[in-house]
Structures are given as structure tokens and as C-alpha cells.
Amino acid sequence: MPANDMLRVALAALASRTIDGTQFHQTWFFAIFLFCGVVVLSNVVHYVVFRVLRRREKESKDSRWTYVQQYLSHPARAIFFITCLLIVLPAVPRLPGAVETLIRQGLVMALVAALGWFAVGFIYVFQAATLRRYDLGAENNVQARRVHTQFQLFRRMLISFVIIIDIGALLWTFNDPRIWHYGSGLLASAGVASIILATAAKSTVANFLAGLQIAITEPIRIDDVVVVQGEWGRVEEINSAYVVIKIWDLRRLIVPLSYFIENSFQNWTREAADIMGTAFLYVDYSIPVEDLRRQLDTIVHASKLWDQKVCGLQVTNLTEHAMEIRCLVSSRNASENFDLRCLVREQMTAWIQQHYPGAFPTARIAAVAGSIPNLQEQQQPGQVDHH
């Protein structure tokens, strides 16, 4: 081959490679440009939507829109971004069919997961928007505690249901009929799975069923005052497996849900938060009971801890050394009643010390001159009889 022909062939091959390389770089540049456009577009859509929600919140002064932004902002951003990627994916040039199919499958699975995330966020929004009308800090909060307890338990059940549906939907995204069968079986075999779980994890299922029973029958509620295993505290949290009780000294008592179905316990706020309490005094027989009763009325009526319902003083027992005086008082809740009982003990004791210092329990002794000679002879000087 002549030298000129060989030179022309080499130049043609070099030009072809240059053109192919240029087209390759242009293809990837266009793909990167599309990706950046998707990022910008999804963020713009997200900004516009939630900007409108923020303006709606300012105009209506409704806190529900705050919950929407708090729980739905991130999953909505993910949904917008994945949706834009699915829209521009066919526009990417020179993308092999197998690679495009793989990318599309991954994006569809990510979209299904993001939709499940969004559904869980919506459950939280609904719970927060509903519970804001029920204040646990109110004086009469029985209805609020009932609603808070039921929503906590049902929220966990709904989230579990959403997760199962989402897993089944993820399996349905595959084009393999065998995997479709697994996805359908996941939802259709709930009864069989329940039997297996009941056998393999009896305690877990027992707690789950106990949670359902507690939500319906309401033996305990959030913020209830209970006495469990000798510990006084408030129900702080009810999970799907256990109950957290905040004890008065800030310790936490963790009790399985099944305990409240199978065992007895005290619930001081089952129907209402108001409660009565007692303070006992032990005094000598010489003190006037009516004076004690008037002083108790003075102390209790001057205290803000009293709910103006019950205030009484009675002699409940007599011993050989003292009288047992019971001071019965009522308050709006258990915490205030405890403080009021302490106040009654302190001020009643101080009043007795000031006005009747000799009325505290004492051992009475007296010399008895017996009329029986033998007994009088046996009794030594200074010997006393106890009464």
C-alpha cells in the first residue's frame, strides 16, 4: 500500500476515535446536566409546596401545619426527587437497556420506600393534630389520658401494618412472577405467621395482645397514678411490650404489659384525679378533740392544696397510752394531697407543742394504796402500777 494511502487511513481512524470520544463526553455531560436539573426541580417543587403551607400556618395560626412540616417535609422531598429521576431517566442517551432497567428498578423501590415513610409521617401528623386538643396538664385530664394512651398503642399498630404493606409492595415491584408470589404470600399468610409467632414468641405476643386489651379496657392510661409492686409513680410511657412508670424519686420502673392484665395493682386516678388522704396523730387523752378539729379546719382552709371538698378529724382508735386521731383531707390530685398531708402533720404538731405541750403520749404512773393488807405489805416504797 502506498504511503499516502496508509496516511489517509490512519487520519480517518484518528478522526473517528475523536468523534466517538467527543460524543461519549457529550453524552455523560448531558446525563450530569439532567441529574442537576432533577435536583433543582425537585427542591423547587418542595420549596413551593411547603412555602405555601408555612404561609397558611401564619394566616390561620393553626399548629397543624407545623406538624405537616415536621413529619412530612423530608419524605416529601425524597418523593419529589425520585419522581423527577424516573421522569428524566428515558431521556438519558446511549444508556444500555440492562443498566436502564436496573436503575429504574432501584428508583421504583426507593419510591415505594419513600411512600411508606410518608405514610408513617402522616400517622404522626394525625396523632399530633388530634392530641393537641387533649392537654395532660389540665386539672381534670381523664379524657386526655384516655386518648393519649389509645393513640400511642394504635399508632404502633398502624406503623407495623404500613411496614408490612410496604415490604409487600417492594416485592411486587420486581418483574419476576415468583417474587410476586412471595409478595402476595407475605400479605396473605398473616394468619399462619401469627400462629408461628404465638408459638415461638409467646411472651412477646402476650404483651402485644395485652396492649390491645389495655387500649380497649383502659386499666391504665398515660399519666395515671399507680402503685405497682409497692412503688408509687405515674405512667410515663406505654410501649408495645412494656410500661414505663416514673417513680416519685425519678427512678423508672419497667413493667411488662401482661403484668397489668394478670396481676392486681392500685390505680389512684382510674375515674378522676381527685383523691383523699389521711394524716394520723397520737396524743394524750387530756387534749380536747374539738380544739384539734377547729385547728385542722384553720390549717386546711388556708391552704391552696385543698380542693374544698373533704376535711375531717375523728378519733379512730384508743390504746392504753394514747388516742389515735385521723385527719382526713382531699385534694385535686395525688401530688397535692401528699403535700397537704405533710403540711397537716407539721402544723398540727407545732400547734400541739405550743398550746398543749403535755398532750403528747406519755406513760402514766400512779402510786396505789391498796385496801388488801397482803398486797399493801408486798408493795415496796416507790413501786407503781401502770394504767
Side-chain angles (χ1 to χ4, degrees), residues 167-205:
I167 294 175
L170 284 174
L171 295 177
W172 280 340
T173 60
F174 291 93
N175 294 324
D176 193 342
R178 291 175 299 178
I179 300 181
W180 287 357
H181 176 72
Y182 295 147
S184 302
L186 178 66
L187 302 179
S189 60
V192 178
S194 300
I195 296 175
I196 296 175
L197 287 175
T199 304
K202 182 179 179 181
S203 61
T204 302
V205 176

Side-chain angles (χ1 to χ4, degrees), residues 37-39 41-42 45 79-89:
V38 165
V39 173
L41 179 62
S42 60
V45 174
I79 291 173
F80 292 149
F81 179 68
I82 297 171
T83 302
C84 291
L85 284 178
L86 286 171
I87 292 174
V88 302
L89 182 62

